[in-house]
Amino acid sequence: MKWFDSLANTITNSLWQASCPLCKRPSDRILCKDCDRQIAAYQSPDFLQKDYPITPEIPLYSWGIYDGALKRAIAACKYDNHPEIMEAIAEKIADTWKRSANTKTPSLKKISVIPIPLHANKLKSRGFNQAELMARRFCDLTAMTCKPQLLRRDKDTKAQMQTKSKQEREENLSKAFTVPLNQQSKPQDVILFDDIYTTGATIREAIATLAANNIKVKGVIVLARPQFKS
Ligand SMILES: [Zn+2]
C-alpha cells in the first residue's frame, strides 16, 4: 500500500504545511525565503540614524526603510490580520541590535522597552498592537524587559497622515498618552519601540509624557522610517 501511504503523506503535508502570509506559497517558516529576501533588501544601511536623532540626547534606531516589500509586509500585518509577520521581523531587529556596538554598554541591559500603545478602540478593532508584539519578541531575544504597562494611550487620535497642518498634528496628539497612576513612582530609563517613524510627533509626545513622570527615554527603536529628505 505504498501508493496509499504516499498519497496520505501528500494530503497531510498539504493540509498542515503553513503558507507564507505575503505570497501564500508553502513555507516552513513564517516568511518564505523569497519574501524574506525581498524584505531584507529594505534594511537600512545603518541601524543608528546618526544624522536624525529624536533630540541631541535621544538616538533613533531604524531597522529598515519604509518602502517596497517592507511597507507591504507592515500593511499585511496590520490590515490583513497577520501579526506573525511582525514577530518574524522583530527577530531581524533583535539580531541587528545585538550586533550593534551600543548594546555592549552594560547599562543598556537594565533599560526596559516600552512599545507605543494603541488606543483601546483601535486595539479592539485590530485585535493586536503590532508595536507591542514586536517589542515583546525583541525583548525575549535580547533579554531586555518589556513594560507596555508604563504607557497608556487615552486619546483616540486621528492617523497623523490625515492631519493637514503642523498645528493640527500637535493638537491631535496633545495629551494623547498617560502613565497609569500605579506606575508613576519609580524613576527609570527606557527605550521606546514603534513600527513606523514618520514625523516623530507621536514619539515626542510619548517622551514628554514619560519625562513628566520621571521616566527617561534613552533611545527609540523603530522597524522602519521613510527616506529622509536631505
Ligand atoms: Zn512569501
Side-chain angles (χ1 to χ4, degrees):
M1 295 291 272
K2 229 173 175 179
W3 65 270
F4 179 77
D5 285 343
S6 121
L7 178 65
N9 271 337
T10 310
I11 292 171
T12 315
N13 285 345
S14 59
L15 281 177
W16 291 103
Q17 194 161 37
S19 62
C20 169
L22 295 175
C23 66
K24 315 293 177 210
R25 284 178 295 190
S27 172
D28 53 1
R29 299 176 302 173
I30 294 176
L31 297 170
C32 76
K33 270 190 192 146
D34 205 30
C35 290
D36 193 74
R37 211 173 16 240
Q38 287 182 43
I39 287 172
Y42 287 87
Q43 181 170 1
S44 171
D46 295 302
F47 186 39
L48 173 64
Q49 310 300 300
K50 280 193 281 303
D51 299 330
Y52 300 93
I54 308 285
T55 69
E57 299 81 35
I58 305 177
L60 172 67
Y61 298 88
S62 179
W63 182 84
I65 305 292
Y66 185 56
D67 207 352
L70 182 55
K71 190 173 175 175
R72 286 196 298 276
I74 296 172
C77 162
K78 282 157 76 166
Y79 309 116
D80 209 9
N81 194 26
H82 284 296
E84 74 277 20
I85 297 174
M86 286 296 141
E87 304 216 355
I89 297 180
E91 293 174 11
K92 296 178 188 298
I93 306 177
D95 279 348
T96 309
W97 175 257
K98 284 192 272 187
R99 275 201 303 270
S100 140
N102 300 284
T103 57
K104 295 200 175 98
T105 315
S107 62
L108 268 178
K109 289 241 152 93
K110 291 185 206 133
I111 295 182
S112 351
V113 176
I114 305 182
I116 294 292
L118 290 182
H119 185 269
N121 290 349
K122 197 175 265 177
L123 186 62
K124 202 172 165 199
S125 64
R126 189 173 296 157
F128 57 89
N129 174 2
Q130 68 285 350
E132 184 174 335
L133 290 180
M134 271 195 292
R136 284 189 186 280
R137 186 78 189 117
F138 174 85
C139 287
D140 283 348
L141 297 167
T142 55
M144 291 170 88
T145 312
C146 190
K147 290 191 177 168
Q149 69 274 20
L150 287 183
L151 193 62
R152 199 172 59 206
R153 196 170 195 138
D154 286 338
K155 197 163 150 189
D156 197 2
T157 51
K158 283 193 231 173
Q160 284 296 86
M161 284 166 193
Q162 287 168 17
T163 54
K164 288 177 194 79
S165 65
K166 189 165 184 266
Q167 195 192 349
E168 199 190 335
R169 271 197 292 279
E170 279 164 10
E171 278 166 15
N172 183 37
L173 279 165
S174 166
K175 301 198 175 66
F177 300 103
T178 49
V179 174
L181 273 174
N182 59 349
Q183 301 291 336
Q184 287 176 356
S185 57
K186 312 158 225 169
Q188 53 186 311
D189 293 342
V190 300
I191 285 178
L192 287 179
F193 206 110
D194 206 1
D195 56 344
I196 311 163
Y197 178 94
T198 40
T199 62
T202 309
I203 296 281
R204 276 192 291 274
E205 184 64 27
I207 291 171
T209 304
L210 290 165
N213 289 280
N214 279 323
I215 301 171
K216 221 175 185 180
V217 174
K218 293 292 201 177
V220 175
I221 302 176
V222 296
L223 165 56
R225 61 155 176 89
Q227 284 288 11
F228 290 125
K229 290 174 192 85
S230 49

